[in-house]
């Protein structure tokens, strides 16, 4: 199993706007994607940080799900709403030790 974490540094004062955009993202996700993901916002540490965390069986499953999501026209429109609210981002991928 792997955990994929997309870490976003949000523009100052835009967390509320990002929360609204992220709420809308749920409409594009399958039931299993919703079950295996969560959105986290900072309480301490660097301010205006959001983490989108997903679990997948392996990298192949992750790539397949991302390709399906990215092919949706509504995803491109949604993404254009998120981009202006973000300063920078990076991705972490971890293997879960079982």
């Amino acid at each position: 199993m792997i955990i994929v974490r997309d870490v976003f540094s949000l523009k100052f004062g835009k967390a509320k706007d990002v929360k609204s955009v992220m709420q809308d993202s749920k409409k594009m996700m399958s039931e299993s994607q919703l079950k295996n993901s969560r959105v986290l916002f900072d309480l301490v540490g660097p301010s205006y940080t959001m983490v989108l965390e997903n679990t997948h069986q392996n990298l192949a499953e992750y790539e397949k799900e991302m390709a399906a999501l990215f092919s949706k026209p509504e995803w491109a429109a949604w993404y254009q709403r998120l981009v202006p609210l973000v300063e920078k981002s990076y991705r972490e991928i971890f293997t879960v030790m079982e």
Side-chain angles (χ1 to χ4, degrees), residues 28-42:
M28 294 179 284
M29 299 170 75
S30 70
E31 189 174 318
S32 68
Q33 288 171 324
L34 286 170
K35 179 181 159 201
N36 294 316
S37 68
R38 61 187 182 170
V39 179
L40 313 167
F41 288 89
D42 67 274

Side-chain angles (χ1 to χ4, degrees), residues 18-95:
V18 170
K19 287 179 181 180
S20 175
V21 170
M22 293 308 295
Q23 197 65 21
D24 291 343
S25 73
K26 293 179 179 181
K27 299 171 190 169
M28 294 179 284
M29 299 170 75
S30 70
E31 189 174 318
S32 68
Q33 288 171 324
L34 286 170
K35 179 181 159 201
N36 294 316
S37 68
R38 61 187 182 170
V39 179
L40 313 167
F41 288 89
D42 67 274
L43 287 176
V44 298
S47 297
Y48 298 103
T49 298
M50 177 189 73
V51 177
L52 174 58
E53 187 176 271
N54 298 282
T55 59
H56 303 275
Q57 287 303 313
N58 51 47
L59 283 171
E61 177 188 276
Y62 167 68
E63 290 174 347
K64 181 180 174 185
E65 286 187 17
M66 290 302 97
L69 181 62
F70 296 163
S71 69
K72 295 180 177 184
E74 62 267 32
W75 182 87
W78 171 87
Y79 188 70
Q80 291 308 309
R81 292 176 48 215
L82 179 65
V83 169
L85 305 172
V86 175
E87 287 286 337
K88 62 182 179 178
S89 68
Y90 62 93
R91 177 171 291 140
E92 303 171 333
I93 300 178
F94 298 95
T95 299

